[in-house]
């Protein structure tokens, strides 16, 4: 192994260490003191509830762990968006589990909480998976009510989705394990079955103080909307549980009796591990996002037996298209080649750039995978489409549009992993969040933006200096350098994979070695939803 491999490995393992440190902090939610307070009330934390519910011997993935990261500082922050979401298995059945974190502002809903809950429901709807809600929430976070209450993708959309899922036959189970107030009271009751924990669970449209203020009635919360009231008098809930564990055991028994599902029928063989050592990824992936490397060496460490069959191997070389298997599942891989390549005319092409021929190849490959019912896996390290007169005269916009059209209209499930760069229209063509990947995750080495921090800073610097010169200011070399560094630092923060994950532009930042697990669990989830549409690209400029 050369010295560059060792340098890359050191750099990427430092990034991995940072990821693990950030995850450990996120898992504390609102902090140790609030966890102790919850335990003193006889309650489990959100993560303890989810882990108790899920099958311990089966793998699970967490969606949106970094939601809200470094957001809402003026409100005390909102770790993990105040809600834990996992895709895992309950009694062997794949499910989505959503648990309010009562250590974060009593489980109140921030704007990002709403976005994350809607993402969980989207996963259940797309994949026709049962969804389980573990409710413990004070409702909308009132200081930010204007950003969470009335819009299409806000709080009310949750209940609309409850109704839609019910009509689709998607199982919804709710356990009220703490507060469940105001509009939030509808979520468990719009589920198929509702459990409430005695003495700690409560459901009401208005609590005792508001009832007193509104109609003058004096009543305590337990009598107003506790477990006995709703299981024996109102009939609002279906089961009474003595404590958290009892409620979770009841959920397990309900899920255990759910019937089998219709399958999409994606091809799967006996899983095999890669022959090449996956840990080599840390040394192969360069420290600098500008450096070249061979994406095929990454693919060998992600796919079964390190085997893949390239489609149009010697054409459109800046995109790799290949059939392979990941954990036994047949997949079609579309990956950006990151090393300099030579085309048939002997011309050198830059790695990570999409040229006319590579866009054409990817479009054809996507159509083939749709024809064969093979899920698509996008491995992104892309700087964008090729620019300049030669590309424009060759119709790069037309060829790029064909690729975007194919990605948009694809009916097989798509999965996106961002390894490195994810810039501009390259993000779109390689199935960024706007193009409905079933799951999208980033490695710690990823960068998401319109362009790189260096390029953007140069453009923004030109604008800034021109503005200052108009005002009569003299721009020295020192002043220019100071402005450049200030602009670049601000922009670099925005291209971080954690910035993207905080806003749920991705489902998470993951260890590269977890990539196979994410894709395998994702395809198994997608196999619950038979494909009901035909692949059709509509009108194209041929």
């Amino acid at each position: 192994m050369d010295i560059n491999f060792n340098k890359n490995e050191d750099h990427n393992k430092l990034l991995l260490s940072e990821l693990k440190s950030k995850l450990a902090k996120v898992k504390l939610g609102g902090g140790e003191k609030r966890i102790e307070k919850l335990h003193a009330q006889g309650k489990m934390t959100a993560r303890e509830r989810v882990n108790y519910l899920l099958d311990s011997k089966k793998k699970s993935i967490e969606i949106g762990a970094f939601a809200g990261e470094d957001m809402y500082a003026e409100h005390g922050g909102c770790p993990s968006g105040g809600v834990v979401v996992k895709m895992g298995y309950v009694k062997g059945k794949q499910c989505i589990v959503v648990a309010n974190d009562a250590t974060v502002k009593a489980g109140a809903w921030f704007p990002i909480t709403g976005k994350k809950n809607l993402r969980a429901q989207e996963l259940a709807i797309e994949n026709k998976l049962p969804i389980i809600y573990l409710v413990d929430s004070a409702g909308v976070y009132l200081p930010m009510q204007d950003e969470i209450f009335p819009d299409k993708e806000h709080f009310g959309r949750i209940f609309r989705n409850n109704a839609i899922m019910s009509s689709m036959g998607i199982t919804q189970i709710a356990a009220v394990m703490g507060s469940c107030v105001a509009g939030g009271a509808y979520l468990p009751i719009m589920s198929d079955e509702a459990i409430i924990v005695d003495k700690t669970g409560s459901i009401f449209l208005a609590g005792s103080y508001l009832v007193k203020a509104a109609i003058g009635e004096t009543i305590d919360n337990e009598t107003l909307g506790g477990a006995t009231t709703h299981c024996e008098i109102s009939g609002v809930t279906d089961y009474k549980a003595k404590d958290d564990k009892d409620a979770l055991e009841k959920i397990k028994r309900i899920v255990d009796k759910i019937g089998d599902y219709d399958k999409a029928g994606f091809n799967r063989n006996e899983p095999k591990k890669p022959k090449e050592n996956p840990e080599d990824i840390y040394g192969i992936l360069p420290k600098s996002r500008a450096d070249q490397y061979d994406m095929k060496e990454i693919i060998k460490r992600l796919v079964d037996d390190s085997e893949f069959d390239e489609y149009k191997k010697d054409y459109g070389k800046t995109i790799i298209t290949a059939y392979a298997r990941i954990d036994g599942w047949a997949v079609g891989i579309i990956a950006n080649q990151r090393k300099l390549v030579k085309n048939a005319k002997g011309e050198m092409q830059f790695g990570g750039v999409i040229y006319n021929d590579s866009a054409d190849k990817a479009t054809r490959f996507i159509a083939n995978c749709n024809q064969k019912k093979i899920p698509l896996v996008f491995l992104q390290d892309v700087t964008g489409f090729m620019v300049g007169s030669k590309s424009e005269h060759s119709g790069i916009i037309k060829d790029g549009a064909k690729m975007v059209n194919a990605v948009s209209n694809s009916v097989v499930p798509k999965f996106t992993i961002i390894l490195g760069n994810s810039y501009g229209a390259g993000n779109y063509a390689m199935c960024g969040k706007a193009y409905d990947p079933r799951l999208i995750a980033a490695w710690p080495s990823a960068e998401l933006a319109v362009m790189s921090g260096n390029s953007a800073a140069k453009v923004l610097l030109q604008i800034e200096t021109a503005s200052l010169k108009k005002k009569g200011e003299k721009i020295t070399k020192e002043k220019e350098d100071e402005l450049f560094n200030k602009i670049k630092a601000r922009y670099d923060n925005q291209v971080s994979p954690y910035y993207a994950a905080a806003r749920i532009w991705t489902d998470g930042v993951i260890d590269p070695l977890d990539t196979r697990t994410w894709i395998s669990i994702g395809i198994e989830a997608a196999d619950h939803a038979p494909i009901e549409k035909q692949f059709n690209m509509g009108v194209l400029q041929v």
Side-chain angles (χ1 to χ4, degrees), residues 488-504:
K488 188 174 184 301
R490 185 176 70 238
Y491 198 88
D492 282 345
N493 177 57
Q494 293 179 4
V495 306
S496 159
Y498 298 102
Y499 190 92
R503 288 150 184 82
I504 318 184

Side-chain angles (χ1 to χ4, degrees), residues 152-167:
K152 182 178 178 180
E153 300 301 331
H154 282 178
F155 191 62
R157 188 79 170 182
I158 301 292
F159 316 126
R160 175 262 186 195
N161 285 351
N162 287 144
I164 295 297
M165 282 190 278
S166 184
S167 72

Side-chain angles (χ1 to χ4, degrees), residues 72 75 108-112 139-151 153-156:
Y72 314 118
H75 297 279
W109 287 53
F110 283 68
I112 198 68
V140 166
Y141 182 60
L142 289 177
M144 301 187 76
Q145 65 85 27
D146 61 320
E147 296 182 48
I148 180 64
F149 166 62
D151 209 347
E153 300 301 331
H154 282 178
F155 191 62

Side-chain angles (χ1 to χ4, degrees), residues 263-301:
K263 295 175 176 63
F266 302 124
N267 184 285
R268 192 179 198 187
N269 282 355
E270 187 68 29
K272 294 180 181 178
K273 291 181 179 179
K275 277 184 181 175
E276 302 288 345
N277 184 2
E279 293 202 7
D280 290 346
I281 288 171
Y282 302 126
I284 295 167
L285 197 67
K287 178 178 178 179
S288 169
R289 293 275 52 79
D291 287 352
Q292 303 278 299
Y293 65 96
D294 189 352
M295 179 65 81
K296 292 179 186 179
E297 294 302 316
I298 299 286
I299 294 172
K300 286 177 187 176
R301 287 153 179 86

Side-chain angles (χ1 to χ4, degrees), residues 8-22 282 285-287 289 419 443-446 497-498 509-512:
N8 293 339
E9 187 176 44
D10 289 345
H11 173 74
N12 286 311
K13 286 193 173 179
L14 278 173
L15 292 181
L16 181 61
S17 177
E18 181 189 14
L19 168 62
K20 289 178 178 178
S21 176
K22 283 178 176 287
Y282 302 126
L285 197 67
K287 178 178 178 179
R289 293 275 52 79
L419 287 65
W443 289 0
S445 48
Y498 298 102
V509 183
I510 66 170
D511 181 344

Side-chain angles (χ1 to χ4, degrees), residues 206-224:
S208 56
Y209 292 121
L210 187 53
V211 168
K212 177 70 172 175
I215 63 172
E217 181 183 0
T218 302
I219 189 169
D220 64 273
N221 282 338
E222 183 64 25
T223 306
L224 181 66

Side-chain angles (χ1 to χ4, degrees), residues 28 41 84 88 115 117 239 269 291 322 362 430 527 541:
L28 289 174
Q41 295 169 355
V84 178
K115 188 172 183 180
N117 274 269
Y239 309 92
N269 282 355
D291 287 352
M430 291 294 294
D527 203 39
Q541 295 288 336

Side-chain angles (χ1 to χ4, degrees), residues 444-463:
S445 48
E447 292 187 357
L448 289 81
V450 172
M451 61 182 77
S452 72
N454 207 49
S455 300
K458 287 177 182 177
V459 173
L460 292 168
L461 178 65
Q462 291 175 34
I463 297 167

